[in-house]
Amino acid sequence: MAVGRPTGRPWSIALRDPRGGFAGAFVLRNRACSTSSTFGRPLRARPRVVGDIIDPRTGHAAACHAQVTVVARSAAAAEAISTALIVLGRGAVDSIAHRMKAEVCWIDDGGICATPRFGLRRIA
């Protein structure tokens, strides 16, 4: 968690790739970001291992295996959007990002997909 401004400059955020290493970096200025993921803390529901994000339509764990980082006007909006996208799936990224005036970076086993203004740049 980071709050405030690092001596008047924007935050430079390194985004971990849940498959290993870093997906890249992006700049955060006067906005908030949140990451939701089904890669992180699995729950054991015998005999399966499931994520901790529940699809309210079914009452079951979200089916996708992904990490979503959202940059939005507030931390509450970024958190709500990132969690909702895990439930809705990759196909909802563009429409939700446009409707909510947010930028999104989706990472799954198929690769990295970011909205045009997310600003993800490769890092060594």
Side-chain angles (χ1 to χ4, degrees):
M1 179 190 305
V3 178
R5 190 175 302 152
T7 59
R9 298 183 322 268
W11 289 99
S12 181
I13 311 292
L15 182 59
R16 283 200 177 274
D17 187 325
R19 303 166 302 170
F22 289 92
F26 64 97
V27 173
L28 186 64
R29 179 192 310 261
N30 299 325
R31 308 268 284 172
C33 74
S34 177
T35 298
S36 294
S37 177
T38 56
F39 283 96
R41 301 176 314 231
L43 303 172
R44 304 216 183 282
R46 292 185 186 163
R48 299 180 325 148
V49 175
V50 297
D52 62 347
I53 298 175
I54 304 300
D55 183 336
R57 300 169 296 188
T58 64
H60 295 102
C64 76
H65 193 59
Q67 173 180 293
V68 182
T69 300
V70 172
V71 175
R73 68 188 180 284
S74 71
E79 174 63 18
I81 296 164
S82 65
T83 303
L85 284 171
I86 288 286
V87 171
L88 295 171
R90 187 175 184 163
V93 167
D94 290 335
S95 65
I96 296 295
H98 177 73
R99 187 177 337 159
M100 301 303 295
K101 296 180 176 71
E103 298 304 322
V104 177
C105 180
W106 175 284
I107 302 173
D108 62 16
D109 292 330
I112 301 170
C113 172
T115 54
R117 293 184 359 174
F118 189 87
L120 188 66
R121 59 179 168 74
R122 294 282 180 202
I123 56 176

